[in-house]
Amino acid sequence: MRQAALLIALPLIASPLTAQLERPQDWRVRFDRPGPPDSAVYLVTMEPGWHITSGPSGILYNPSQVAHGEYRVKSEIYLFPGERREGFGVFIGGKNLAEQEQSYVYFLLRKDGRYMIKHRNGAQTPTIVPWTVHEAIVPQSGEENAKNFLEVAVGTEKLDFYVNGEIVKSLPRGDLDTDGVVGLRVNHNLNLHVTSLTVEQNEASQ
C-alpha cells in the first residue's frame, strides 16, 4: 500500500527532481500533425515506468519493441486529474511509423469510463469500435488518479481487448496486420504515469 501511494505522489514532485529526469533512450515520438518538436511532449523515465505530459496527440514508442504472430501486450497506466476527455492507451502492429504510410491498431480509454478501438492507415483512421462505456474501466473524477491495466491478446483467429482483467471486446483478426512495433498512444494534453509496457510472445510464434 505504501509503495502504491509513493508511486501516485511521485509525478507531482516539484521541478528540482523532474529536471534531473531523462527521456528514455531510443524512444521515438510521432505527432498526428507534422510541425511540433519532440519537446512538445514531456516524456521521462520515472521508475517504475515513464511519466508523460502530452501536448499534441500522437504515439510514443521504442522501435525495437516488436511483436508478431500470437502475443499479449500489457500496460498499466495512471491517469491524473485534468479537464480533457481525451484518449490514451496502447497500439500494436506498428509499421512505417516514420513514414506517410504509417499503420497501427490502437486501443484507448478515456476518463469517462469509455474505450475505443481504431486502425490508422496513413492519414485514414477508420473506427473499429466507437467510444463505448464498460464497467471494467476505472473512470477518473475529482482529484483522484485512475489506474487501469490494459491488455491486447492477439491469437490466430481473434483479438481480445482487456481492461483490468476483463474482456471488453473480442474481434476477428481478419485482415488486420498485427505484426510490428508496439507502443503508447496519447491524445491531447493528458497527464499520465505508465508503470509498464510489456510483450509476452507466444513460444510457438518465436
Side-chain angles (χ1 to χ4, degrees):
M1 182 68 71
R2 181 174 175 79
Q3 287 183 334
L6 288 173
L7 170 63
I8 295 171
L10 184 56
L12 303 179
I13 294 175
S15 58
L17 173 59
T18 57
Q20 302 172 19
L21 302 174
E22 296 182 353
R23 177 163 290 193
Q25 190 174 13
D26 299 327
W27 277 58
R28 304 286 184 270
V29 175
R30 176 166 184 171
F31 298 116
D32 290 347
R33 296 182 180 180
D38 281 5
S39 58
V41 60
Y42 178 74
L43 166 64
V44 294
T45 299
M46 184 181 289
E47 298 296 341
W50 311 273
H51 196 76
I52 300 165
T53 304
S54 65
S57 59
I59 55 174
L60 305 88
Y61 62 96
N62 183 334
S64 68
Q65 191 166 26
V66 299
H68 60 272
E70 298 176 55
Y71 62 87
R72 290 174 178 264
V73 171
K74 301 179 179 182
S75 184
E76 182 182 68
I77 303 177
Y78 286 81
L79 174 64
F80 288 76
E83 297 299 322
R84 305 288 297 196
R85 193 178 61 172
E86 294 284 347
F88 62 94
V90 298
F91 73 83
I92 63 172
K95 287 185 171 60
N96 303 314
L97 296 180
E99 309 298 332
Q100 289 186 347
E101 300 80 12
Q102 63 174 321
S103 176
Y104 55 88
V105 176
Y106 52 112
F107 174 37
L108 304 184
L109 308 183
R110 70 183 189 192
K111 67 177 294 180
D112 60 357
R114 297 174 187 263
Y115 77 93
M116 178 180 68
I117 304 169
K118 299 186 77 172
H119 176 217
R120 175 174 286 279
N121 185 12
Q124 304 301 312
T125 56
T127 298
I128 300 173
V129 180
W131 286 114
T132 303
V133 173
H134 198 284
E135 61 184 8
I137 302 168
V138 177
Q140 189 284 315
S141 61
E143 297 302 315
E144 297 295 324
N145 306 318
K147 180 182 76 170
N148 286 283
F149 190 86
L150 291 76
E151 179 178 350
V152 182
V154 178
T156 56
E157 298 181 355
K158 67 172 183 172
L159 284 70
D160 291 326
F161 297 84
Y162 294 80
V163 178
N164 298 320
E166 184 174 340
I167 294 179
V168 299
K169 189 68 177 179
S170 292
L171 296 171
R173 187 166 176 174
D175 295 330
L176 287 175
D177 188 352
T178 54
D179 292 349
V181 176
V182 306
L184 302 170
R185 166 89 198 177
V186 183
N187 287 353
H188 303 278
N189 300 324
L190 294 176
N191 188 7
L192 307 169
H193 191 81
V194 181
T195 65
S196 60
L197 177 64
T198 61
V199 174
E200 295 179 2
Q201 187 73 54
N202 187 313
E203 292 183 2
S205 299
Q206 294 182 0

